[in-house]
Amino acid sequence: MQKRIFLGSIALAVATLAAGGVMAQTSNTFKIGLILPMTGQQATTGRQIEAAARLYMAQNGDTVAGKKIQLIVKDDTSLPDVTRRLAQELVVNEKVNVLAGFGITPSAMATAPIATQSKTPMVVMAAATSSITQASPYIVRSSFTLPQVSVALADWAPKNGIRKVITLVSDYGPGLDAEKYFKERLTFNGGQVTEALRVPLRNPDFAPFLQKVRDGKPDALFVFVPSGAGAAVMKQFLERGLDKAGIRLIATGDVTDDDQLNDMGDGALGVVTSHHYSAAHPSAMNKKFVEAFGKANKGLRPNFMAVGGYDGMRVIYEALRTSKGQGGGDALLEAMKGQIFESPRGKIFIDAQTRDIVQDVYLRKVEKKDGQLYNVEFDVIKDVKDPGKAK
Ligand code: DHB
């Protein structure tokens, strides 16, 4: 019932939009509705992406194809019902040209029908469950997917003495993707997942799970938790003496998040992760990016969320430039597909078929450089497509 009312209100909103279409087309403002968790458990995701979007605009100007870019930032507190309401308001009242942001998977999923019905391109800058891009033909992703980064670690582990693994993931989309793809590939490679543990997304208490891991005596614990929760996992892992019991910690790079890594202490040294971005990525473009980001944000180090926001802005700017601001949402969407460019993370590509990102995935180890902890890349798998799309 609630769903019917909701869809009805979208239909009305879309009709209103169509009536206002002429005005929107001749407007000289191009509006980006950036919906992010600015407060609550995922607040660092919002802080990183907003800072990156503002940096992109500061570096590239706020006029494209004769239109003035206006960034409208809204805080969804990472509650999907709030994300959906804000998206609807942005589309109907503000007549935004693009929806962007989306800190967690449920927020992106809740907004997908609004993008479809209003024909508004929706740039997912953070959320990383494989299936998100299939929820609307108007979704384009500039972040990553969990299958994309998890498989590389499952190839590395058995070659490095790790055969018996317990997995520990947040119990929702990206965690289930990480668990599934890590396990499949590890098993294929002759390893074994002996136990698959899932912790709640909201207010997780890792302690009882880590006790189980200790008792299970695996060669390694594989972890996925979303950005912002990694430090708590690391702290509990060390406090419970899992490292001393000979259990290695391996994870997706969400755990050794650059936003928190430097505060995790030397206990994090040696942790191997796989991911698509490290602040220590040794390219000229990344050095400039990290420096400019820090300068504009009191020394803050950009993390993988920031790079998703920065590149998402590039996708939007370039689409506006090449479509010359003509043709509305559909033309903009077409111009987003197939973009290929250098990012601070390396070369990236928006696959025109899937609207998902194709990128290099790195194996990294936490090391100290100039007295600071970094994820130092030691291997790369080039041009990785989301393995979730092949199924
Ligand atoms: C998602 C959120 C995160 O903070 C992250 O690091 C990975 C995935 C998500 O909800 O999709």
Side-chain angles (χ1 to χ4, degrees), residues 74 110 277:
K74 297 283 181 189
Y277 179 66

Side-chain angles (χ1 to χ4, degrees), residues 42 45 103-105 127-129 144 146 172 174 224 226-227 254 304-305:
Q42 309 309 129
T45 294
I104 58 169
T105 290
T129 300
F144 71 109
L146 265 305
Y172 77 121
F224 163 80
S227 188
D254 310 72
F304 62 98
M305 293 299 184

Side-chain angles (χ1 to χ4, degrees), residues 258 261 275-291 301-304 307 311 341-348 359-365 369 373-382:
D258 272 304
L261 177 60
H275 229 208
H276 55 292
Y277 179 66
S278 164
H281 179 62
S283 73
M285 183 179 190
N286 186 50
K287 284 196 180 108
K288 264 175 63 183
F289 172 65
V290 172
E291 197 179 301
R301 188 193 286 185
N303 70 356
F304 62 98
V307 92
D311 293 339
F341 60 97
E342 192 192 351
S343 149
R345 62 186 116 174
K347 189 191 75 186
I348 65 174
Q359 59 191 331
D360 296 349
V361 172
Y362 305 89
L363 287 160
R364 316 96 50 83
K365 185 189 264 184
K369 275 192 3 182
L373 296 181
Y374 281 100
N375 294 297
V376 176
E377 294 164 358
F378 64 85
D379 202 359
V380 60
I381 301 98
K382 302 292 279 181

Side-chain angles (χ1 to χ4, degrees), residues 110-281:
T111 307
I114 296 178
T116 305
Q117 300 209 14
S118 66
K119 300 184 187 299
T120 307
M122 172 174 160
V123 179
V124 174
M125 297 171 161
T129 300
S130 172
S131 60
I132 287 175
T133 42
Q134 284 149 334
S136 167
Y138 285 84
I139 292 179
V140 168
R141 174 154 42 200
S142 63
S143 53
F144 71 109
T145 80
L146 265 305
Q148 193 175 44
V149 297
S150 300
V151 162
L153 202 57
D155 282 336
W156 176 86
K159 290 186 220 144
N160 290 272
I162 296 170
R163 304 210 159 268
K164 202 175 130 188
V165 178
I166 293 180
T167 59
L168 174 68
V169 302
S170 289
D171 191 5
Y172 77 121
L176 304 186
D177 269 1
E179 179 191 280
K180 174 168 184 255
Y181 283 84
F182 179 84
K183 180 181 175 172
E184 260 180 30
R185 185 62 76 100
L186 187 75
T187 309
F188 176 79
N189 287 329
Q192 191 190 359
V193 169
T194 54
E195 216 173 338
L197 305 172
R198 298 175 181 176
V199 293
L201 169 63
R202 308 278 172 197
N203 307 311
D205 176 8
F206 299 110
F209 295 97
L210 291 174
Q211 191 53 49
K212 272 192 155 176
V213 175
R214 215 194 139 128
D215 297 342
K217 297 190 172 61
D219 298 326
L221 169 66
F222 166 81
V223 180
F224 163 80
V225 290
S227 188
V233 173
M234 188 71 74
K235 185 162 176 277
Q236 298 261 338
F237 183 87
L238 298 171
E239 273 177 13
R240 306 217 141 235
L242 272 74
D243 56 332
K244 302 224 168 53
I247 300 168
R248 293 189 67 177
L249 177 62
I250 57 175
T252 62
D254 310 72
V255 174
T256 55
D257 184 348
D258 272 304
D259 188 81
Q260 299 188 319
L261 177 60
N262 207 26
D263 297 325
M264 289 185 194
D266 287 356
L269 285 169
V271 172
V272 171
T273 57
S274 54
H275 229 208
H276 55 292
Y277 179 66
S278 164
H281 179 62

